[in-house]
Each structure stands twice: as C-alpha cells, then as structure tokens.
Amino acid sequence: VKNLINVLRQASTQMIVAIGMTFVLILGGIDLSVGSVACLSGTITAGMMVKNAIPTPFALLLGVLLGVLIGIINGVIIAKVKIPPFIVTLAMMSTARGAALIYSGGYPITNMPEDALFLGRGYIADIPVPVIIMIILVATAWVVLLMTKFGRHTYAIGGNEECARLSGIKVERTKIAVYAISGASAAITGILLTMRLASSQPTLGDGLELDAIAAVVLGGTSLFGGRGYVLGTILGTLFLTVLGNGLNILSINSFWQQFLKGIILVIAVSLYEKRKK
C-alpha cells in the first residue's frame, strides 16, 4: 500500500505537466520548455519566501503567474511572429534554466516555511496533497477539452489550422491561451516538486519535457495535432511511473531507465503511424 501511494505521488507531478502538454500537442505544437519553467517557478517561489519573506500564498500565486507569463510569451512569439514552436520553446528552455541559475547562484534554496512544505509532503484524509491537486486539475482539463468551445477550437486548430481560421476561430488567441496553460501546469509541477524536496534544486525538472511528451504520446495523443485524450494521458503517465517504480524495485540503473523510456517513445510513435496508415 505504501508503495502504491508513493507511485501516485510520483505520478501526480508528472501528470500535471503532461496535462498541459496534452493541450499543446492537440493544438499541433510542442513545448520543450516545461522542465526549465518548472525549475524557474520553483526556484523563484522558494526564493520569495526565504529571501524576501513574502507570505506563502502570495509567493505560490506569483510562482504560478510566472509560468503563465512564460507560456504567454511562448504563445505570442509562435502565434504572432510565426516562429516554429520547436525553436521558440527550445530557446525558452535555455533562457528559463539560465534565469533560475542566475537567481539562485546555482545553489539550493532551503528553510522554507512549513505551510509551504505541506503542499509537497502533506496528507488530507491519508491522500497526498499533490494527488488531490492532480485530480482537480485532471478533472478540469477533461471538462475544458470535451465540454467547452475552447476545447473544440483547440482540436479544430490541431486538425487543420487554415480551416479553423476560415471558420472564424481566433487561432492566435487560442494558441496563446494553450501555451499559457502549459506554462501554468509546468509552474505548478515545479512548485510541488520544490516543496516535496524542501529545497529548490538547479537541476529540478531536467528531462521533464521528455517524460511529459512520452506520457502524452503513449496515451494516444497525436504529435501532429487534432487528436488526444485526457484519459490517455492519465494512463500513459501511470504506465511510465509504474515502469520506473518497477525498475527501481529491480535495482535497474537509472541510465538504463532513460534508455528504455526513449525506446518506448519511438515504439509508441511507430505504432501510431502504422495505425494511422
């Protein structure tokens, strides 16, 4: 039971960032900056509480808003300047990681208040707080994608952007909103990971973008836009988490675990292409 609870806790942060990535991939884009955004938001949030003595709720809110702002910047450059998402988010990945290192000096930030640490380590009715936050966000994403005009517009743009534009859908506004969602999910993930570790780490979120993309693609979301499912993202994330947990129990080297994740991603995309043909 303890191990299952641990699996859910591990899956919760990865699933939150994967939900944001689901929106982006359905749109037909990609966001390689989520790991760095998670690191920057977690670092800034910790720094505001420790260095500037800002009350925990305000520091947490500012940390999430920072992720939203970065997502908006990505979306504006992609939608307005027409630079490919791969280039924009790759540049932001380096920029955000560099900003986190500059702010922290490359050192961990510790001694955060207990009420903040509760987010990453606390329990409510024997359920870890990150799991509760994950459930709320997953349910919200499910409703938004399947039951709102915004969700239908996201699918339409991913399926055929020009047709969506000619149908009267505000393509640029939708793109900016989707990347803002991705930035917010990355920021929440970074904050939860920071509070769980009780310190901000310069390497926090390293490789998180690969895990998120792998989980979403394994769940059946197309890398080419227009198709995707929140339920699939949930199953894909749980699969990768259980796989990693099982490999840890079997004492498999972490280097081999990264190798296997890459192989699994290639196989999943290959199977999708075969099925699509």
Side-chain angles (χ1 to χ4, degrees), residues 206-227:
D206 191 22
L208 188 61
E209 56 282 332
L210 174 61
D211 290 340
I213 293 171
V216 176
V217 172
L218 282 171
T221 297
S222 171
L223 280 170
F224 309 103
R227 177 174 177 170

Side-chain angles (χ1 to χ4, degrees), residues 13 16-17 31-46 63-64 66-67 70 92-93 96-97 100 182-195 199-209:
T13 48
I16 290 170
V17 73
D31 192 348
L32 300 177
S33 67
V34 291
S36 297
V37 172
C39 177
L40 179 59
S41 294
T43 299
I44 296 295
T45 301
V64 175
L66 175 61
I70 294 173
M92 185 59 75
M93 177 175 70
R97 182 75 63 177
S182 180
S185 65
I188 294 171
T189 297
I191 292 169
L192 291 176
L193 286 172
T194 299
M195 300 314 156
S199 69
S200 67
Q201 300 291 332
T203 58
L204 183 77
D206 191 22
L208 188 61
E209 56 282 332

Side-chain angles (χ1 to χ4, degrees), residues 236-253:
T237 304
L238 289 175
F239 173 78
L240 287 178
T241 306
V242 171
L243 176 66
N245 184 262
L247 293 174
N248 284 333
I249 292 174
L250 294 173
S251 301
I252 303 296
N253 189 291

Side-chain angles (χ1 to χ4, degrees), residues 91-253:
M92 185 59 75
M93 177 175 70
S94 178
T95 302
R97 182 75 63 177
L101 290 170
I102 291 170
Y103 180 81
S104 65
Y107 294 99
I109 300 174
T110 57
N111 300 321
M112 285 172 283
E114 287 297 324
D115 57 343
L117 297 180
F118 179 77
L119 281 177
R121 299 181 168 191
Y123 290 80
I124 297 177
D126 294 329
I127 302 174
V129 173
V131 175
I132 295 174
I133 295 173
M134 173 200 73
I135 292 171
I136 294 172
L137 294 178
V138 165
T140 302
W142 193 318
V143 171
V144 169
L145 276 176
L146 296 182
M147 303 181 184
T148 67
K149 183 169 69 174
F150 175 78
R152 292 193 293 274
H153 288 179
T154 302
Y155 279 104
I157 294 170
N160 189 314
E161 182 175 330
E162 189 58 27
C163 281
R165 191 188 310 277
L166 294 173
S167 299
I169 295 174
K170 299 184 183 301
V171 173
E172 293 181 353
R173 183 186 299 177
T174 304
K175 283 186 175 182
I176 294 170
V178 165
Y179 278 95
I181 291 171
S182 180
S185 65
I188 294 171
T189 297
I191 292 169
L192 291 176
L193 286 172
T194 299
M195 300 314 156
R196 183 180 173 189
L197 296 172
S199 69
S200 67
Q201 300 291 332
T203 58
L204 183 77
D206 191 22
L208 188 61
E209 56 282 332
L210 174 61
D211 290 340
I213 293 171
V216 176
V217 172
L218 282 171
T221 297
S222 171
L223 280 170
F224 309 103
R227 177 174 177 170
Y229 318 93
V230 173
L231 178 59
T233 297
I234 295 171
L235 296 176
T237 304
L238 289 175
F239 173 78
L240 287 178
T241 306
V242 171
L243 176 66
N245 184 262
L247 293 174
N248 284 333
I249 292 174
L250 294 173
S251 301
I252 303 296
N253 189 291

Side-chain angles (χ1 to χ4, degrees), residues 253-265:
N253 189 291
S254 61
F255 301 147
W256 279 102
Q257 293 187 31
Q258 290 295 321
F259 175 82
L260 290 172
K261 284 181 181 179
I263 295 297
I264 289 170
L265 180 57

